[in-house]
Amino acid sequence: MALVDRTLLGPGPSNPYPEATAALAAPLLGHLDPEFLRVLDETCDRLRRVWGTHNARTLPLSGTGSIGMEAAFANFVRHGDVVVVAVNGLFGERMVDVASRYGANVVRVDHDWGTPVDVERVLAAHPEPSLVAAVHAETSTGVLSDIRALSLAVHKRDQRTLVLADCVTSLAGIEVAIDAWDVDLAYSGTQKCLGVAPGLSPFTVSPRAWDRRVQRPPTWYLDLNLIGAYVDGSTGGRTYHHTAPVAMIASLHAALGRVLEEGLEQVWARHHAAGTLLQQGLQDQGLELFAAEGHRLPELTTVRVPAGVDSAKVRQILLTEYGIEIGAGAGAFASSVWRIGLMGHNARPDRVELVLGALRAAIAKA
Amino acid sequence: MALVDRTLLGPGPSNPYPEATAALAAPLLGHLDPEFLRVLDETCDRLRRVWGTHNARTLPLSGTGSIGMEAAFANFVRHGDVVVVAVNGLFGERMVDVASRYGANVVRVDHDWGTPVDVERVLAAHPEPSLVAAVHAETSTGVLSDIRALSLAVHKRDQRTLVLADCVTSLAGIEVAIDAWDVDLAYSGTQKCLGVAPGLSPFTVSPRAWDRRVQRPPTWYLDLNLIGAYVDGSTGGRTYHHTAPVAMIASLHAALGRVLEEGLEQVWARHHAAGTLLQQGLQDQGLELFAAEGHRLPELTTVRVPAGVDSAKVRQILLTEYGIEIGAGAGAFASSVWRIGLMGHNARPDRVELVLGALRAAIAKA
C-alpha cells in the first residue's frame, strides 16, 4: 500500500524534525533500562532549558497536550477553589470545562475571539482567586497573550495565587520563560513547535505550586506524586508507576536536542521570520488576517476566508492536489477562517512560498 | 551516538513487530486527514476482531495501558457504587486504588499472589455489586484467571452487574473473547502481546455498560462521550476532542494487520508453544516456577530465583553482556522472582533458546 505524505501546515500536528522521526523507529528500550532512564533524565533537563526554568518537577506526561491541562487542574485544584479563567478562544473555554469537573468555582473572563487576554479585566474578576489560568498562544484564533504581564501582576497582588499557562502552541516557537515570568504551572504538546508526533505533554511545576499540590488527586494516572516517584531519579530509587511511552520520549529527546543545538533564540527567530513572511504575503494577496494586529502568533496565522469562497473546497483542493493540510477555523469561525501553521520544522521560508502559491491557486480554482 | 538495542524479555515492553516500527516512522498525517481517519476506523475494526467483539465502542485510548483502567472506573462508577475487585497481584491492587479514587465502595477479595481468581469467593463477596473487576493475565505474577467463568457466573446471577477485565497482558497473546464471555468493559496495552511500543490502551465497552455510563465523568481527557464523538465516524461528523496520537495509532494499525494476517489462533498457538518450551526448559535447568500449575501464562513466565543467587546481579549480567532484559518480581517478590516475557514478536523458539542459554550462563557467573 502506498504511503501518503503531507505538508502539515494546519494547527498541528506539524511535520516532525527528521531527528524526531528517526528516534521513533530506533530500537525500543524498556522503561526501567538504565540507558532509557538516562534518555528520560536528559529529556527533562532539555525541557527545563526550553521552558526557561529550574523547576525540579519538569517532565513529559504520557498523553497528548490536553492531558497537561487535565493534570494541572486535577493536581492543584480542590473542591470549591476559586479559579479565574481568561477565555479568548477554544482552549480557554476548555479550561473552564476541565476546572469545573474538578470542583473549581470558576470565574470566567470572556474576551472576543481574536483578541488577547486583558490583564486588568482578569485581575478585576476576583480579589483572591486560588489560581488564574490563561492561554499563551490560542491555537483556535492565532492570538498571543502577554503571560508575563499577567503572571507578574497576579503575583504582585498576592504571592499565593497560582498562575497556570497553556503553552501548547508556544513552547519552542516563541519565547517562554517560566522562571522569569514567575509562572507556576504550564503544559505543552509535542506536535506543534517542538516538532514531534502527538503523544506527550511537557509539564512544569514551580516549587510554590508543588507545596500546594493535592495529596491524593481523583486521578491515579495523572497523580504527580506517583509519576514523580518514577521520573525523578535524583533521590535514588525509581518506583514503577505506568509504563512510560518510551518511543515517544526518545523522539522528544531527539527533537529537543535539535532545537537546543540550533539555539532557542535562533529557533524563535526562525518562527518569527516565517510568520512575518506569511502574514505579509497573505495581505499582499488581498487577504485579511483574523487575529488582532500586534498580537499575532508567528507560528499560527489565522486568515479570513474571502467572501464568496467555499472554505472547505479550498482546503480540499490543497489536500488532494498539493498534499498540503491547513486548518479550518474553530468554533463559530469554522467556515470563515483558515488556520495556517508554520511550526517547528515547518517554520521555513520554503513552506511559506509553498502555501502562498498553493493557496492562491486553490482559491482561484474553488 | 551509538544506538542501544535490547532483546526485551521482561514483562513489557516487548520488541515490536517490524511492521509496527516501520509504521511509527512513516510520514505523519493530521488527525483530521481523511486518510488518517480511514486508518483509525480500520484500527477500531481490527481491534474488534482481536477482542472478539462487535462492540461499537471499541477504540485505542491516548495513553499507556493504565489509562484504560482509569477510563473504566471514571466512566462507569458513581460515588458509592459497590465494586468488587479480585486482588491476586499488583494490578488488582491498583484497581482498588483507582476505583476508590472515583468514589467506589470497594469490596476487595484477596488471593495469594501466584494463584488465580476464585470465582466462588468473588461471587460471595457481595450480593449485588454494581461492578466486578478482575485481571485476566496478572503481569505481576504470571497467572491466568478464568474471566469467562467469572463473567458468566456474575451475569447468571444478575444481568445488571458489569464485568470489567484487565487484559493488558492477554490481548493478542492468549484467547480473549469479549462477546462470548459476556464481558462489559476491558482494556489492554500496546506494548505486550500486541507488539507495539507503549502509548495506547485498546478499550472496549458493551452496549449494556454504555447505557450505564456516567454522563459527565470527573475526567475530561477520558470522557468517553467526547472521545466517541471524534473516533466514531459512523454518524457522519467528527468532533475534535484531543489531537489523536497519530503515529502510535498508525503503528498499532500495522501490528494488528500483522497479527490478523498470521491469524489470531495461530498467534495464540505461537505464544502457547513458546511459553511451554520456556517453562519446560527452566524446569529442566532445575528452576522452580512461581505461578500455580495449570494457571500459568505462556506469554509471561515467573520463576523463583534460586537460593543464594543475587537476583539483581543476574539481571545485570543479562542486560550488559547479552543485551537481554528480563524483569524483577513485583511487590514482595521483587528479589525472589524473575519475570520472563515472550510476547508478540518475541513469542518464538529462538528467543526461548536465547534466554535459556543466557540465563544459565548468567546464574553461573553471578
Side-chain angles (χ1 to χ4, degrees), chain B residues 128-201:
Chain B
E128 46 181 6
S130 168
L131 187 147
V132 171
V135 177
H136 187 209
E138 244 302 346
T139 320
S140 61
T141 62
V143 164
L144 171 69
S145 288
D146 190 345
I147 294 296
R148 177 179 177 277
L150 177 68
S151 181
L152 296 181
V154 166
H155 286 136
K156 187 177 170 191
R157 180 173 70 180
D158 190 341
Q159 278 290 326
R160 293 167 305 176
T161 308
L162 299 182
V163 171
L164 165 63
D166 176 320
C167 298
V168 169
T169 297
S170 59
L171 192 66
I174 56 176
E175 185 186 10
V176 173
I178 296 300
D179 287 358
W181 298 354
D182 206 13
V183 168
D184 297 294
L185 296 163
Y187 56 86
S188 188
T190 45
Q191 75 275 17
K192 314 271 186 181
C193 302
L194 283 164
V196 182
L200 294 174
S201 178

Side-chain angles (χ1 to χ4, degrees), chain A residues 180-232:
Chain A
W181 298 355
D182 206 13
V183 168
D184 296 293
L185 296 163
Y187 55 87
S188 188
T190 44
Q191 76 275 19
K192 315 271 184 176
C193 303
L194 283 164
V196 182
L200 294 174
S201 178
F203 195 84
T204 189
V205 184
S206 74
R208 172 171 40 206
W210 186 249
D211 288 345
R212 290 185 29 207
R213 71 191 182 278
V214 176
Q215 289 298 330
R216 191 168 183 261
T219 165
W220 179 91
Y221 188 74
L222 293 176
D223 183 334
L224 290 175
N225 299 288
L226 302 178
I227 298 173
Y230 165 70
V231 174
D232 180 14

Side-chain angles (χ1 to χ4, degrees), chain A residues 6 12 24 31 33 64 66-67 70 94 97 100-101 191 198 216-221 223 240-244, chain B residues 6 12 24 31 33 64 67 70 94 97 100-101 191 198 216-221 223 240-244:
Chain A
R6 306 284 199 207
L24 259 184
H31 59 290
D33 191 309
T64 54
S66 299
I67 215 171
E70 182 110 11
R94 179 172 297 182
D97 185 353
S100 70
R101 288 178 191 238
Q191 76 275 19
R216 191 168 183 261
T219 165
W220 179 91
Y221 188 74
D223 183 334
Y240 163 65
H241 177 244
H242 65 271
T243 302
Chain B
R6 306 283 199 210
L24 259 185
H31 59 289
D33 191 309
T64 54
I67 214 171
E70 181 110 13
R94 180 172 296 180
D97 186 352
S100 71
R101 288 180 192 237
Q191 75 275 17
R216 190 170 184 262
T219 163
W220 178 90
Y221 187 74
D223 183 335
Y240 162 66
H241 177 245
H242 65 270
T243 302

Side-chain angles (χ1 to χ4, degrees), chain A residues 1-6 8 12-16 21 24-35 38 62-67 70 90-91 94 96-98 100-102 191-192 196-199 216-223 226 240-248 253 316 319 325, chain B residues 1-6 8 12-16 21 24-35 38 62-67 70 90-91 94 96-98 100-102 191-192 196-199 216-223 226 240-248 253 316 319 325:
Chain A
M1 194 181 69
L3 295 172
V4 175
D5 61 328
R6 306 284 199 207
L8 298 174
S14 59
N15 297 100
T21 302
L24 259 184
L28 199 70
L29 298 175
H31 59 290
L32 296 171
D33 191 309
E35 180 61 22
R38 193 190 63 71
S62 306
T64 54
S66 299
I67 215 171
E70 182 110 11
L90 182 68
F91 294 90
R94 179 172 297 182
V96 170
D97 185 353
V98 178
S100 70
R101 288 178 191 238
Y102 287 96
Q191 76 275 19
K192 315 271 184 176
V196 182
R216 191 168 183 261
T219 165
W220 179 91
Y221 188 74
L222 293 176
D223 183 334
L226 302 178
Y240 163 65
H241 177 244
H242 65 271
T243 302
V246 287
M248 285 298 309
H253 177 261
Q316 171 74 7
L319 194 71
E325 177 179 277
Chain B
M1 196 179 66
L3 294 173
V4 175
D5 60 330
R6 306 283 199 210
L8 299 173
S14 60
N15 297 100
T21 302
L24 259 185
L28 199 71
L29 298 175
H31 59 289
L32 295 171
D33 191 309
E35 180 61 21
R38 192 189 63 71
S62 305
T64 54
S66 299
I67 214 171
E70 181 110 13
L90 183 68
F91 294 91
R94 180 172 296 180
V96 171
D97 186 352
V98 178
S100 71
R101 288 180 192 237
Y102 287 97
Q191 75 275 17
K192 314 271 186 181
V196 182
R216 190 170 184 262
T219 163
W220 178 90
Y221 187 74
L222 293 175
D223 183 335
L226 302 179
Y240 162 66
H241 177 245
H242 65 270
T243 302
V246 286
M248 285 297 310
H253 176 262
Q316 171 75 9
L319 193 71
E325 176 178 276

Side-chain angles (χ1 to χ4, degrees), chain A:
Chain A
M1 194 181 69
L3 295 172
V4 175
D5 61 328
R6 306 284 199 207
T7 305
L8 298 174
L9 304 180
S14 59
N15 297 100
Y17 286 113
E19 291 85 350
T21 302
L24 259 184
L28 199 70
L29 298 175
H31 59 290
L32 296 171
D33 191 309
E35 180 61 22
F36 172 70
L37 294 172
R38 193 190 63 71
V39 168
L40 176 61
D41 286 345
E42 207 166 88
T43 301
C44 295
D45 282 342
R46 290 177 180 183
L47 281 175
R48 282 183 197 98
R49 292 172 63 191
V50 172
W51 279 117
T53 186
H54 292 96
N55 287 340
R57 277 91 192 172
T58 301
L59 74 169
L61 295 175
S62 306
T64 54
S66 299
I67 215 171
M69 187 190 289
E70 182 110 11
F73 290 110
N75 284 277
F76 298 96
V77 166
R78 290 168 177 80
H79 207 84
D81 277 0
V82 173
V83 171
V84 171
V85 179
V87 180
N88 66 331
L90 182 68
F91 294 90
E93 195 71 58
R94 179 172 297 182
M95 289 204 282
V96 170
D97 185 353
V98 178
S100 70
R101 288 178 191 238
Y102 287 96
N105 174 7
V106 178
V107 179
R108 55 184 293 160
V109 184
D110 280 291
H111 300 67
D112 287 337
W113 284 36
T115 67
V117 169
D118 181 330
V119 173
E120 292 308 317
R121 287 185 54 225
V122 173
L123 276 179
H126 195 279
E128 45 181 7
S130 168
L131 188 149
V132 172
V135 177
H136 187 208
E138 245 301 347
T139 320
S140 62
T141 63
V143 164
L144 171 69
S145 287
D146 190 344
I147 294 296
R148 177 179 178 278
L150 176 68
S151 181
L152 296 181
V154 166
H155 286 136
K156 186 177 171 191
R157 181 174 68 181
D158 189 342
Q159 278 289 326
R160 295 166 305 176
T161 308
L162 299 182
V163 172
L164 165 62
D166 175 319
C167 297
V168 170
T169 297
S170 59
L171 192 65
I174 56 176
E175 185 184 12
V176 174
I178 296 299
D179 288 358
W181 298 355
D182 206 13
V183 168
D184 296 293
L185 296 163
Y187 55 87
S188 188
T190 44
Q191 76 275 19
K192 315 271 184 176
C193 303
L194 283 164
V196 182
L200 294 174
S201 178
F203 195 84
T204 189
V205 184
S206 74
R208 172 171 40 206
W210 186 249
D211 288 345
R212 290 185 29 207
R213 71 191 182 278
V214 176
Q215 289 298 330
R216 191 168 183 261
T219 165
W220 179 91
Y221 188 74
L222 293 176
D223 183 334
L224 290 175
N225 299 288
L226 302 178
I227 298 173
Y230 165 70
V231 174
D232 180 14
S234 66
T235 53
R238 302 269 187 177
T239 308
Y240 163 65
H241 177 244
H242 65 271
T243 302
V246 287
M248 285 298 309
I249 290 172
S251 185
L252 173 59
H253 177 261
L256 289 167
R258 157 93 182 224
V259 163
L260 292 169
E261 191 172 304
E262 180 176 350
L264 258 184
E265 296 197 1
Q266 286 76 9
V267 168
W268 300 338
R270 180 161 54 74
H271 281 81
H272 180 78
T276 304
L277 201 60
L278 174 66
Q279 288 166 12
Q280 190 55 54
L282 291 168
Q283 289 175 303
D284 290 348
Q285 290 188 21
L287 295 169
E288 192 187 341
L289 301 182
F290 174 70
E293 197 171 350
H295 308 279
R296 292 170 184 156
L297 294 168
E299 69 273 32
L300 184 65
T301 295
T302 44
V303 54
R304 290 185 190 276
V305 178
V309 171
D310 181 338
S311 157
K313 194 166 176 197
V314 169
R315 291 193 298 112
Q316 171 74 7
I317 291 170
L318 285 172
L319 194 71
T320 55
E321 297 187 24
Y322 299 86
I324 297 173
E325 177 179 277
I326 69 168
F333 301 95
S335 59
S336 59
V337 163
W338 290 311
R339 291 183 290 167
I340 306 176
L342 295 167
M343 302 176 181
H345 193 45
N346 286 340
R348 290 155 30 189
D350 60 310
R351 306 293 189 176
V352 176
E353 296 307 326
L354 170 63
V355 73
L356 283 173
L359 184 63
R360 183 200 298 267
I363 291 174
K365 285 184 192 183

